[in-house]
Amino acid sequence: MKPGTLSTALKSGAIWGFIILELIFFSVAGEFLSLSDKAFMDWDNMLLLLKQSAPIGIIAMGMTIVMVNGNIDLSVGATFAIAAIVLLDSMTWPIFAGLGDWVIPVAWLLALVVGTLLGALNGLIVWKTGVDAFIVTLGAMLGYRGIVFMFNGEQPTSHLNWTLVDFAEAELLGLATASWFLLAATLVIWFVMAKTVHGRNAYAIGDNREAAVNAGIRVGPHMMINFAIIGFLAALSAVVFYSESGSVNPNDGQLYELWVITAVVLGGTKITGGAGNVIGTFGGVIAIQLLRKGLGHIGADTSTVNLVIGLILVAVLVLDRQLNMKGKEELKV
Amino acid sequence: MTDAKPVLRLENIVKTFPGVRALDGVSFSVMPGEVHALMGENGAGKSTLMKVLGGIHQPDGGTIFMGDDAVVMAGPLEAKAKGIVFIHQELSLAEELSVAENIYLGELPTKSLGRVDWTRLSDQTNAILQKLNVGFDANTRVGDLSIANQQMVEIARALTVDAKAVIFDEPTASLTDSEKVVLFDVIADLQATNVGIIYISHRMEEIFKITDRITVLRDGQYQGTVETADSTEESVTQMMIGRTLDLSRNASHHALGDVALEVRGLSCGKHYRDVSFEVRRGEVVGFYGLVGAGRTEIAETLFGLRDPSAGQILLDGEVVRINSPADAIARGISLVPEDRKGQGLVLGMNCRDNMTLPQIDRLKAGPFVAQGAEMEIFDKYHKQLDIRTPGWKQRVGNLSGGNQQKIVIGKWLSMHPKVLIVDEPTRGIDVGSKSEIHKLLRELAAQGYAVMVISSEMPEVLHVSDRIVAMYSGRVMRTFSSEDVTEDNLIQAISGMTSEQVA
Amino acid sequence: ETMKIGITQNNVGVDSYQTTYESAFIAAAGENSDVDAVVLDAGGDVARQIAQIEDLIQQEVDAIIIWPTNGEAVIPAVRKAHQAGIPVVVTNSNIAEAGFDFVKSFSGPDNITQGARSAEIMCDKFKDMGIEGEAQVVHITGQPGYTTAIERAKGFEDRMPEVCPDVSIVDTQPGDWNREKSQQVMEAFLVKYDDIDGVYSGDDNMGVGALNAAKAAGREGIIFVGATNFAVGYEAMAAGDYWGSIYQSPVDDAEAALKTATDILEGKELPFLNYFDTPKITQDNMGDYTKPVF
Amino acid sequence: MADITRQQIGSLLAKQGILIAFVAFLIGFTIANPKFLTPDNVLSVIRSSAILGVMALGVTFVVISGNLDLSVGSMMSFSTIVVLDLHDKIGPALAIPAMFAMTLALGALIGFLVGYLKLNSLIVTLGMLSAIHGLTLTYSGGKNMDIVDKEGTWFSVFGQGTALGLPIPILMFIGVAALLGLILSRTSFGRKVYAVGGNGTAATFSGIPRARTVFMCYLISAACVATAGLIQASRSLGSQNTVGQGLELEVLAAVILGGASLLGGSGTIFKTVIGVLILGFIQNGLLLIGLQFYVQFIVTWVIIILAVWLDIAAKRGKLWSPIA
Ligand SMILES: Nc1ncnc2c1ncn2[C@@H]1O[C@H](COP(=O)(O)OP(=O)(O)OP(=O)(O)O)[C@@H](O)[C@H]1O
Ligand SMILES: Nc1ncnc2c1ncn2[C@@H]1O[C@H](COP(=O)(O)OP(=O)(O)OP(=O)(O)O)[C@@H](O)[C@H]1O
Ligand SMILES: [Mg+2]
Ligand SMILES: [Mg+2]
């Protein structure tokens, strides 16, 4: 058992409490406001929730490790779009013409490699220049988006491959393909962060970088690996999603970084690094998707949705604060 | 010992920082099985020399030898690989991680798939912790430990690897006596296995107790190396500061004034209970106890940083509620906090601005800060406390540990408080300055200040206090006057024995 | 028996056209007692739109109206609706041909024609002024990547050489449907080109931004042509600063979409493409049109 | 001798790395297009940077105090829409203070949440970004907001007027920058902002009211946003609901480009101004060169990283980072 599991579980408790609140609220409100005869907490609807959480959720797992590491990645949305373009475009490249449906795994691989490289490039810049990750990836958010537009101008890149669509829409044991990938990503990153030396070092670096350096941890390469991981996961998210939808707009993935970061922070990861876990992030992702879904369910209009989502984010923080309130005798700092 | 080869030899090391020549051709060597003291005033370059050795700084000139080979310590990793263990002056721990993970930071034991071998990790750690005789276990979160215990975690690192040389940079600065005993045992054990030990401290009694040789630095320059057995406190002090010190206590010849601060039945949750004492104008009251005795929490309560759960605080005979440090400051209370880096200083700010921070609202010239008045304050304490800095513009983070502490003291002295509370005021301060600070505390009392000194150093408490409050586990055990206190009855009081039990 | 109709819009908050569309749709659905509507907004995000289509299928609505964020990416989701037996109507901008099999009908403006008409408006004006032989035009497009932006730009740039072969389009930059951004772009154009005769912008918001820049720089005589005649554009036309635009009402757009959906549910036969007309509007004929409400 | 000059150059670089990078860009663009450095163009760039710039000045306070403000873009849309709406309803003389009051109320709310309740500023302001957008849409019904009588109002002076031969937006930018620069560098409040951002605990131990200081920073930020909204509204006398959308990241980029650390405790108003101008001139310069917009994205990426890199490399005296 990793030390401190219980205390972190308690601290990330706010998000689970909030998820339950959401479920209750939307179920009750849905009875009055929804046109659907189906209950909000319908089993199929919950399975759908899991699937719909995948695009942001898979990236959020990578963001957890990067943020625990004390960094941040604002370029994931653009990486997501680039990976999607590579996936869809490469399937039409003449060199792969003889492959038949075998082009699919090749295209997947290519997209994943590109995503990993883009992530690693951010990591390399952070490592070698010492520029803060926020700035490096803020720049990359623009630069990578520029690359997206370079591919195909303003046109969407499309390649609808029905074999691929059928695979992506398939269900195994009642779970959609995307859900499986989300669960797998969660599990793997959980394993890495809770069980492996690499993961524990990520916490150490995020917590006290100088101490980590003094202890002889190779901080630079370590951070680069984590950026490569988030690049890979952004590409994986794209691969899973665009296998099903078959076309990418050059604007796709915009604002994903903000949603992903929101999910991660709601899940209890410290912005300054050193603390956080994947299970909490999973909760954060579900909470956000539930909110979107629920507001749709009860038919809120756009301005209400914006207003409510914003206020809810703040409310969760307040709830979290109440749960973690220090005793009256504790230091007031 | 003379025929053996040194484990480590540094020759003509030079290191400059912008505006500071921190090391100017320093040579130094350590023999296997030797405890070698490195001494010098605050800012003399001790930590810098060790950081060069530990691969944290690259020297501008000079050579490091291990055995007969010249080596380059390109980074902490290399130094570690070559068998050099560095216990840092400033705590270097990841607070969110467990004790075990911190001790083995950078070299966690692994199983297949890169997994951490938790069982092995905690077994190894607990074995070490047992040797250190500490009251926490491998899975405790480091952030939950007291500073002293965090220091013990730092020390535990020395025992994890096959070290050739271990550097202790002021390991006892935040330890109490019982933990020091454990540390000295550890050092003796290492010594027995022929490890070379470099020991930095400002505490003479320790130096003479455990070290074999002493090397002295002054202003980045090598002053010489002497056999401990052949030297005296006076001779070493002379080497360090170029003069001898008058360590006699200047007894309080002044009359005591009214009660400035009184505490009646004060309690604060689990931290301390039913504490009562009073401090008069012109009086220095020492607070002595073991780590966790609750002295710091009392100070924090008086400074408005904690709400008491019961009891009263009286200033000049009047019951007051102190809700915030601003309140406390307005009522004439100053607190020199325990943790200078975390609580005392804004490391990224310059020396002057740190020093004037608490009174920044008072130094007004029209709508602006009166920079002239600020400079005056800085200059005054710069001189009085002999702070070594290239100038007021220097980032406080770039000062040596002891000089940082002096900035904090200057910051609160300049407030001219009615009640001055100092929590471990001379932690990391060199002998010269320490006696200056002690003198200063006595003088302040003579001027009518009420002074509370919290310290874990018995000589310090005995030296400066008019009365001593002995605490154990959140309770006041006994209050001594300077006449009836002895080392023995003080130790009894703070280990929880009442006088009846002793008798 | 009420008809449950779900709509997922592209990105409502982004401009007043889409917001007006949303409220017009809600109003129209409210007036029709046979209709219950769920109105969703994808916020410009394809993934969210697909999730919304899935939700609508899950809620078993009777018909789905979709304003695609991406004309191709939504096809598989539309296929799912089709397979679930729910008729789908596409509104405002069409989906790609591969999806036509799963869609009952399209209702909306013809953006390519709009672009072409803007080119004609501008060309005609140049001919009136007698500068069709040498006029230089700059082009400010909508947010990169949006179908509407792409189609209008294409219509304009294809048509201009056909009607006015000697007019040159000297520069094209996006103004992101944003008046301020467009103003900045225009400021740079004005510095860069000493001679600008015409400005075509992908909608009137951007057009007015460009107009403001020209006014501030004191450059006169530039012919401004836009699209989607917003109230600001209409007023600028009335003031004689702005030459022409394309009259397109989001209210018509929304009502047409709802009408198409209800017609389908009532079993009426409809043509596949239901373009509603978006006529040219210039200073000359603006009296025939009421001022847009948005 | 050579050693000394090299050191001097080194320390000059270290102190003014960003400024030097800025001058280098100016020279580069001027070579690419001689029209770049004409007074007309320079004025027009500064004028259109003024809106972003005024917001960045306020955000500088927030960032130095160790927090973030991502809500400034959507708050600016709000102020713009409100002041335009009220202009026709109660007249400009009342509309302006009313708009300032409403914007400051939003700033106070955020300041309360972040300062007094100590909530995470990234999430709070992200939440407020969305909530304020919703508020604006509700307020305006999603419609564009336009002043009816555009010719007859004195309101246009803030965005379109000139005084002393300079456009008013530029004068307002300079004025706000000078005022806030003085506050930050010369007053006790400014010192507190640095202390709170540098080490909040130590600031508390020094009797500095941390919560109130953070609260005030958000109020200042809101006041700047309101000023920016005023210039914006007055410049085009009409606006979309999304006029400020996305500006939050540009503002942050400008502040950071100026050398403020996201960890808090460092940064100056002067450097933020430079950061703002760099962004403005890059955008304009690339437009003048006539690159495709996506090439502009890529070039901006490279320039942002290069500028910040050179700045910190000069400070630490080494090009490559010491991270192992
Ligand atoms: N990173 C740095 N940048 C600039 N100056 C530094 C830096 N580190 C140390 N110095 C300066 O070098 C000198 C030597 O400092 P050092 O920390 O070695 O002193 P020390 O002997 O360990 O003192 P103490 O007993 O107070 O710990 C001091 O004047 C200090 O201000
Ligand atoms: N037995 C213990 N094990 C671990 N932590 C403890 C223990 N007792 C107390 N602590 C914690 O250690 C911290 C230090 O205690 P405290 O500051 O009260 O001691 P003190 O008397 O001020 O000693 P000093 O100032 O000499 O460190 C407190 O935060 C307290 O919660
Ligand atoms: Mg030292
Ligand atoms: Mg203590």
Side-chain angles (χ1 to χ4, degrees), chain A residues 330, chain B residues 135-136 140 144-149 174-176 270-272 288-298 300 306 338 423-424 427 454-456 471:
Chain A
E330 291 312 308
Chain B
F136 51 88
T140 318
D144 293 335
L145 295 177
S146 65
I147 293 199
N149 280 332
S174 45
L175 294 189
T176 48
K270 61 182 197 304
H271 302 294
Y272 58 85
Y288 190 62
L290 297 175
V291 170
R295 297 162 300 166
T296 298
E297 283 81 357
I298 293 175
E300 285 164 352
R306 290 175 194 268
E338 183 173 33
D423 195 351
E424 309 290 358
R427 173 178 290 164
I454 299 171
S455 173
S456 303
M471 290 195 62

Side-chain angles (χ1 to χ4, degrees), chain B residues 247-262:
Chain B
L247 289 175
S248 70
R249 166 168 177 180
N250 23 4
S252 44
H253 297 303
H254 55 277
L256 294 187
D258 301 334
V259 175
L261 169 73
E262 186 180 352

Side-chain angles (χ1 to χ4, degrees), chain B residues 157-394:
Chain B
R157 284 176 173 169
L159 304 175
T160 59
V161 277
D162 276 334
K164 288 208 174 61
V166 181
I167 304 163
F168 290 97
D169 194 351
E170 297 196 41
T172 54
S174 45
L175 294 189
T176 48
D177 294 333
S178 57
E179 288 145 332
K180 274 184 218 163
V181 174
V182 177
L183 171 66
F184 296 158
D185 287 348
V186 168
I187 291 178
D189 287 352
L190 288 170
Q191 213 175 354
T193 55
N194 266 347
V195 174
I197 291 158
I198 303 167
Y199 190 85
I200 302 178
S201 175
H202 292 293
R203 296 182 174 169
M204 287 290 182
E205 73 280 6
E206 293 169 7
I207 300 289
F208 283 92
K209 192 160 154 195
I210 67 164
T211 69
D212 301 310
R213 288 195 296 166
I214 302 173
T215 293
V216 175
L217 301 184
R218 188 153 108 207
D219 291 337
Q221 280 168 343
Y222 176 68
Q223 296 295 306
T225 304
V226 295
E227 296 283 331
T228 310
D230 303 342
S231 0
T232 60
E233 290 197 17
E234 286 72 28
S235 68
V236 175
T237 309
Q238 172 81 39
M239 272 173 93
M240 278 166 56
I241 62 179
R243 65 189 157 94
T244 50
L245 285 173
D246 169 23
L247 289 175
S248 70
R249 166 168 177 180
N250 23 4
S252 44
H253 297 303
H254 55 277
L256 294 187
D258 301 334
V259 175
L261 169 73
E262 186 180 352
V263 165
R264 283 192 200 147
L266 203 65
S267 298
C268 182
K270 61 182 197 304
H271 302 294
Y272 58 85
R273 286 166 304 284
D274 198 21
V275 168
S276 303
F277 60 84
E278 54 177 51
V279 187
R280 293 172 172 276
R281 287 179 197 283
E283 185 181 38
V284 178
V285 177
F287 286 75
Y288 190 62
L290 297 175
V291 170
R295 297 162 300 166
T296 298
E297 283 81 357
I298 293 175
E300 285 164 352
T301 311
L302 294 174
F303 202 57
L305 284 158
R306 290 175 194 268
D307 294 325
S309 42
Q312 287 177 324
I313 301 169
L314 291 83
L315 280 174
D316 291 328
E318 203 181 307
V319 178
V320 291
R321 274 186 61 91
I322 303 169
N323 288 319
S324 67
D327 258 9
I329 291 170
R331 294 182 189 281
I333 302 175
S334 281
L335 170 66
V336 173
E338 183 173 33
D339 172 8
R340 64 167 166 263
K341 252 182 155 180
Q343 305 169 334
L345 296 166
V346 183
L347 291 179
M349 246 188 191
N350 67 40
C351 296
R352 184 198 70 189
D353 293 0
N354 263 290
M355 207 181 260
T356 55
L357 200 54
Q359 51 184 319
I360 193 69
D361 275 328
R362 299 184 194 166
L363 304 173
K364 283 252 163 89
F368 300 133
V369 174
Q371 304 217 354
E374 279 194 286
M375 282 318 299
E376 265 170 40
I377 291 173
F378 174 77
D379 287 338
K380 176 171 171 203
Y381 291 94
H382 183 195
K383 268 196 216 85
Q384 184 172 1
L385 300 173
D386 190 23
I387 299 170
R388 303 286 165 85
T389 164
W392 65 270
K393 277 188 174 164
Q394 180 74 317

Side-chain angles (χ1 to χ4, degrees), chain D residues 7-316:
Chain D
Q7 259 197 6
Q8 280 170 344
I9 294 173
S11 82
L12 181 71
L13 267 176
K15 282 213 191 76
Q16 307 299 351
I18 274 292
L19 194 59
I20 290 165
F22 178 49
V23 174
F25 294 140
L26 291 188
I27 295 172
F29 281 128
T30 311
I31 293 169
N33 187 338
K35 282 183 178 163
F36 182 68
L37 263 196
T38 53
D40 271 358
N41 190 47
V42 170
L43 277 187
S44 108
V45 172
I46 302 179
R47 192 183 49 211
S48 49
S49 303
I51 293 169
L52 180 96
V54 170
M55 288 160 73
L57 297 175
V59 171
T60 304
F61 275 75
V62 174
V63 169
I64 294 177
S65 79
N67 295 298
L68 285 175
D69 194 347
L70 294 180
S71 68
V72 287
S74 112
M75 206 192 284
M76 195 272 256
S77 306
F78 174 80
S79 350
T80 309
I81 291 290
V82 166
V83 78
L84 287 169
D85 176 60
L86 294 181
H87 177 280
D88 284 0
K89 290 191 177 140
I90 58 177
L94 287 176
I96 295 171
M99 175 273 271
F100 265 81
M102 286 161 88
T103 311
L104 285 176
L106 290 176
L109 174 60
I110 299 175
F112 174 75
L113 293 169
V114 178
Y116 288 93
L117 295 190
K118 300 191 174 61
L119 304 184
N120 180 302
S121 66
L122 178 81
I123 302 296
V124 166
T125 55
L126 203 57
M128 292 304 286
L129 182 159
S130 172
I132 297 174
H133 182 50
L135 196 63
T136 313
L137 286 179
T138 313
Y139 185 94
S140 68
K143 305 240 190 318
N144 284 352
M145 202 60 84
D146 275 277
I147 289 177
V148 173
D149 178 13
K150 290 192 171 146
E151 305 301 325
T153 177
W154 56 267
F155 182 74
S156 60
V157 66
F158 303 106
Q160 303 172 18
T162 53
L164 313 170
L166 285 175
I168 300 271
I170 297 185
L171 291 177
M172 288 175 75
F173 182 35
I174 295 173
V176 175
L179 177 68
L180 293 185
L182 279 178
I183 290 181
L184 191 58
S185 65
R186 291 267 178 274
T187 68
S188 61
F189 173 73
R191 193 71 65 74
K192 291 178 191 170
V193 175
Y194 282 107
V196 163
N199 182 348
T201 307
T204 306
F205 269 79
S206 303
I208 290 176
R210 185 180 180 177
R212 195 198 311 160
T213 308
V214 170
F215 177 81
M216 287 301 295
C217 287
Y218 279 100
L219 271 194
I220 290 178
S221 178
C224 287
V225 167
T227 310
L230 177 65
I231 300 177
Q232 173 63 51
S234 158
R235 180 165 141 108
S236 35
L237 299 178
S239 171
Q240 293 158 281
N241 287 284
T242 48
V243 58
Q245 207 168 52
L247 280 188
E248 52 280 342
L249 286 181
E250 277 188 58
V251 164
L252 202 57
V255 172
I256 290 168
L257 209 51
S261 157
L262 282 177
L263 300 175
S266 73
T268 67
I269 288 292
F270 176 70
K271 287 186 172 175
T272 293
V273 171
I274 301 292
V276 168
L277 293 181
I278 289 185
L279 275 191
F281 278 103
I282 289 177
Q283 263 178 15
N284 172 271
L286 293 172
L287 274 175
L288 285 186
I289 296 173
L291 295 176
Q292 292 278 17
F293 67 93
Y294 50 79
V295 183
Q296 291 171 30
F297 284 5
I298 296 174
V299 172
T300 311
W301 170 37
V302 174
I303 288 182
I304 285 183
I305 289 179
L306 271 185
V308 177
W309 181 19
L310 293 180
D311 191 45
I312 64 174
K315 267 183 205 135
R316 68 174 168 236

Side-chain angles (χ1 to χ4, degrees), chain A residues 3 191 194-197 200 203-204 207-208 211 213-218 270 274-275 328-333, chain B residues 76-77 80 88 92-98 101 105-106 110 114-116 118 268-269 271 300 304-307 323:
Chain A
F191 175 81
K195 298 285 172 193
T196 70
V197 173
R200 300 317 292 171
Y203 283 93
D207 192 340
N208 186 341
V213 171
N214 287 345
I217 296 175
R218 300 281 317 269
K270 269 214 305 212
K328 199 168 142 303
E329 292 90 12
E330 291 312 308
L331 208 53
K332 294 189 278 190
V333 285
Chain B
L77 200 60
K80 208 168 167 184
H88 289 269
S92 173
L93 299 167
E95 299 203 335
E96 295 285 342
L97 299 192
S98 68
E101 287 174 291
L105 199 60
T110 52
R115 279 177 303 161
V116 177
W118 292 110
C268 182
H271 302 294
E300 285 164 352
L305 284 158
R306 290 175 194 268
D307 294 325
N323 288 319

